[in-house]
Amino acid sequence: MARPRKPLLSTDRIVGAARALVDAEGLAAVSTRRLAAELGVSGPSLYNHFRTKDEILEAVADSVSAQIDLSMFEDGRDWRAALHDWAVSYRGALRDHPNIVPVLAQGPGRRPAGLRVADAVYGAMVAAGWPPSQATSIGALMRFFIMGSALGSFAGGFVDDASAYDPADYPHLGQAHLLAERQEKIDERAFETGLSALLDGLEGQYEQVRRTA
């Protein structure tokens, strides 16, 4: 009988395995030797697809950018609704893959999916009537806000030990030990509060743009 054929090594298989490794163990866990073992191939075979570990991490980052929904910039939603829905999708992708955020935070570089995100946001803002310079600033502002929200949990940063918050030293942190157990709800509410405030501010600027146009 013929032996079962191994699945062909492909860029997608390598990126998928690397992404799973990053998700499970962090950036430091990725190496060509480790990936080759995970994929059941020899180390040198990876070099037919990627020359370095950094190239692999760039590809992983771009695969996460590709998960961000961009349909809201094409289906007729107004600029504010589109930015809101995009920000929620963007944060969701980063929340699902938090360990790759430091790579994504460096900017899109030459990554195709990352550049498509930037192009979609900028194009939609200009089409909505924002001057090009302000459209650029909006894209940067949104990325700062969303990336910042993904770099760590606010609520999860507090220990669940009430004795850590001596009222003599921290008179206003008597309930801080409860934050960690409510992490998801608190962080979600904080994100929506910040996003609404940010969009409210942009709405005011937009009205000024329309009056002076």
Side-chain angles (χ1 to χ4, degrees), residues 29 36 60 66-67 88 110 122 144 146 151 162 164 167:
V60 170
Q67 296 175 14
V88 171
R110 295 178 180 273
Y122 176 81
F144 292 157
I146 299 164
L151 286 173

mmCIF file of all heavy atoms in Angstrom, residues 29 36 60 66-67 88 110 122 144 146 151 162 164 167:
data_model
loop_
_atom_site.group_PDB
_atom_site.id
_atom_site.type_symbol
_atom_site.label_atom_id
_atom_site.label_comp_id
_atom_site.label_asym_id
_atom_site.label_seq_id
_atom_site.Cartn_x
_atom_site.Cartn_y
_atom_site.Cartn_z
ATOM 1 N N ALA A 29 8.194 32.208 21.415
ATOM 2 C CA ALA A 29 8.109 30.769 21.152
ATOM 3 C C ALA A 29 8.358 30.426 19.688
ATOM 4 O O ALA A 29 8.637 29.272 19.351
ATOM 5 C CB ALA A 29 6.737 30.239 21.564
ATOM 6 N N ALA A 36 9.068 23.991 12.251
ATOM 7 C CA ALA A 36 9.300 22.793 11.449
ATOM 8 C C ALA A 36 8.818 21.554 12.192
ATOM 9 O O ALA A 36 8.184 20.660 11.601
ATOM 10 C CB ALA A 36 10.783 22.682 11.113
ATOM 11 N N VAL A 60 2.204 36.611 10.075
ATOM 12 C CA VAL A 60 1.195 36.348 11.105
ATOM 13 C C VAL A 60 0.423 37.625 11.410
ATOM 14 O O VAL A 60 -0.814 37.624 11.487
ATOM 15 C CB VAL A 60 1.851 35.798 12.383
ATOM 16 C CG1 VAL A 60 0.835 35.751 13.529
ATOM 17 C CG2 VAL A 60 2.421 34.408 12.139
ATOM 18 N N ALA A 66 -6.054 40.811 8.276
ATOM 19 C CA ALA A 66 -7.019 40.338 7.282
ATOM 20 C C ALA A 66 -8.347 39.934 7.920
ATOM 21 O O ALA A 66 -9.360 39.803 7.211
ATOM 22 C CB ALA A 66 -6.431 39.162 6.502
ATOM 23 N N GLN A 67 -8.376 39.731 9.232
ATOM 24 C CA GLN A 67 -9.610 39.359 9.929
ATOM 25 C C GLN A 67 -10.485 40.573 10.254
ATOM 26 O O GLN A 67 -11.626 40.426 10.699
ATOM 27 C CB GLN A 67 -9.268 38.610 11.218
ATOM 28 C CG GLN A 67 -8.556 37.291 10.992
ATOM 29 C CD GLN A 67 -8.117 36.630 12.287
ATOM 30 O OE1 GLN A 67 -8.558 37.005 13.376
ATOM 31 N NE2 GLN A 67 -7.240 35.644 12.185
ATOM 32 N N VAL A 88 -14.742 48.342 16.453
ATOM 33 C CA VAL A 88 -15.174 47.159 17.206
ATOM 34 C C VAL A 88 -14.596 45.893 16.578
ATOM 35 O O VAL A 88 -14.107 44.992 17.285
ATOM 36 C CB VAL A 88 -16.711 47.102 17.266
ATOM 37 C CG1 VAL A 88 -17.179 45.763 17.839
ATOM 38 C CG2 VAL A 88 -17.256 48.254 18.099
ATOM 39 N N ARG A 110 4.933 46.914 4.827
ATOM 40 C CA ARG A 110 4.589 46.453 3.475
ATOM 41 C C ARG A 110 3.519 45.356 3.498
ATOM 42 O O ARG A 110 3.293 44.690 2.493
ATOM 43 C CB ARG A 110 5.847 45.901 2.780
ATOM 44 C CG ARG A 110 6.925 46.947 2.530
ATOM 45 C CD ARG A 110 8.148 46.304 1.894
ATOM 46 N NE ARG A 110 9.206 47.277 1.637
ATOM 47 C CZ ARG A 110 9.314 48.013 0.535
ATOM 48 N NH1 ARG A 110 8.419 47.866 -0.433
ATOM 49 N NH2 ARG A 110 10.290 48.874 0.382
ATOM 50 N N TYR A 122 -8.759 55.686 5.228
ATOM 51 C CA TYR A 122 -8.431 56.989 4.648
ATOM 52 C C TYR A 122 -9.376 57.330 3.498
ATOM 53 O O TYR A 122 -9.923 58.439 3.418
ATOM 54 C CB TYR A 122 -6.986 56.980 4.155
ATOM 55 C CG TYR A 122 -6.575 58.257 3.455
ATOM 56 C CD1 TYR A 122 -6.201 59.381 4.187
ATOM 57 C CD2 TYR A 122 -6.557 58.333 2.057
ATOM 58 C CE1 TYR A 122 -5.835 60.554 3.546
ATOM 59 C CE2 TYR A 122 -6.187 59.504 1.407
ATOM 60 C CZ TYR A 122 -5.827 60.610 2.151
ATOM 61 O OH TYR A 122 -5.471 61.769 1.520
ATOM 62 N N PHE A 144 -4.168 54.536 17.362
ATOM 63 C CA PHE A 144 -3.621 54.733 18.703
ATOM 64 C C PHE A 144 -4.604 54.211 19.756
ATOM 65 O O PHE A 144 -4.220 53.497 20.690
ATOM 66 C CB PHE A 144 -3.360 56.218 18.974
ATOM 67 C CG PHE A 144 -2.261 56.829 18.157
ATOM 68 C CD1 PHE A 144 -2.225 58.193 17.936
ATOM 69 C CD2 PHE A 144 -1.249 56.053 17.605
ATOM 70 C CE1 PHE A 144 -1.216 58.771 17.181
ATOM 71 C CE2 PHE A 144 -0.233 56.613 16.851
ATOM 72 C CZ PHE A 144 -0.215 57.982 16.641
ATOM 73 N N ILE A 146 -7.266 52.109 19.465
ATOM 74 C CA ILE A 146 -7.576 50.682 19.420
ATOM 75 C C ILE A 146 -6.382 49.849 19.874
ATOM 76 O O ILE A 146 -6.539 48.895 20.652
ATOM 77 C CB ILE A 146 -8.034 50.280 18.005
ATOM 78 C CG1 ILE A 146 -9.307 51.042 17.627
ATOM 79 C CG2 ILE A 146 -8.285 48.781 17.915
ATOM 80 C CD1 ILE A 146 -9.632 51.019 16.149
ATOM 81 N N LEU A 151 -3.360 46.481 24.268
ATOM 82 C CA LEU A 151 -2.049 46.180 24.852
ATOM 83 C C LEU A 151 -2.143 45.572 26.244
ATOM 84 O O LEU A 151 -1.196 44.970 26.728
ATOM 85 C CB LEU A 151 -1.195 47.454 24.900
ATOM 86 C CG LEU A 151 -0.639 47.906 23.543
ATOM 87 C CD1 LEU A 151 0.037 49.266 23.682
ATOM 88 C CD2 LEU A 151 0.346 46.883 23.000
ATOM 89 N N ALA A 162 -7.809 42.017 48.585
ATOM 90 C CA ALA A 162 -8.264 43.263 49.204
ATOM 91 C C ALA A 162 -7.193 43.891 50.091
ATOM 92 O O ALA A 162 -7.161 45.117 50.254
ATOM 93 C CB ALA A 162 -9.530 42.998 50.022
ATOM 94 N N ALA A 164 -4.235 44.385 49.479
ATOM 95 C CA ALA A 164 -3.284 45.194 48.710
ATOM 96 C C ALA A 164 -3.693 46.657 48.670
ATOM 97 O O ALA A 164 -2.897 47.514 48.253
ATOM 98 C CB ALA A 164 -3.165 44.653 47.293
ATOM 99 N N PRO A 167 -6.777 51.154 53.036
ATOM 100 C CA PRO A 167 -7.486 52.438 52.927
ATOM 101 C C PRO A 167 -6.686 53.620 53.455
ATOM 102 O O PRO A 167 -6.953 54.764 53.065
ATOM 103 C CB PRO A 167 -8.754 52.204 53.757
ATOM 104 C CG PRO A 167 -8.457 51.020 54.616
ATOM 105 C CD PRO A 167 -7.508 50.171 53.843
#
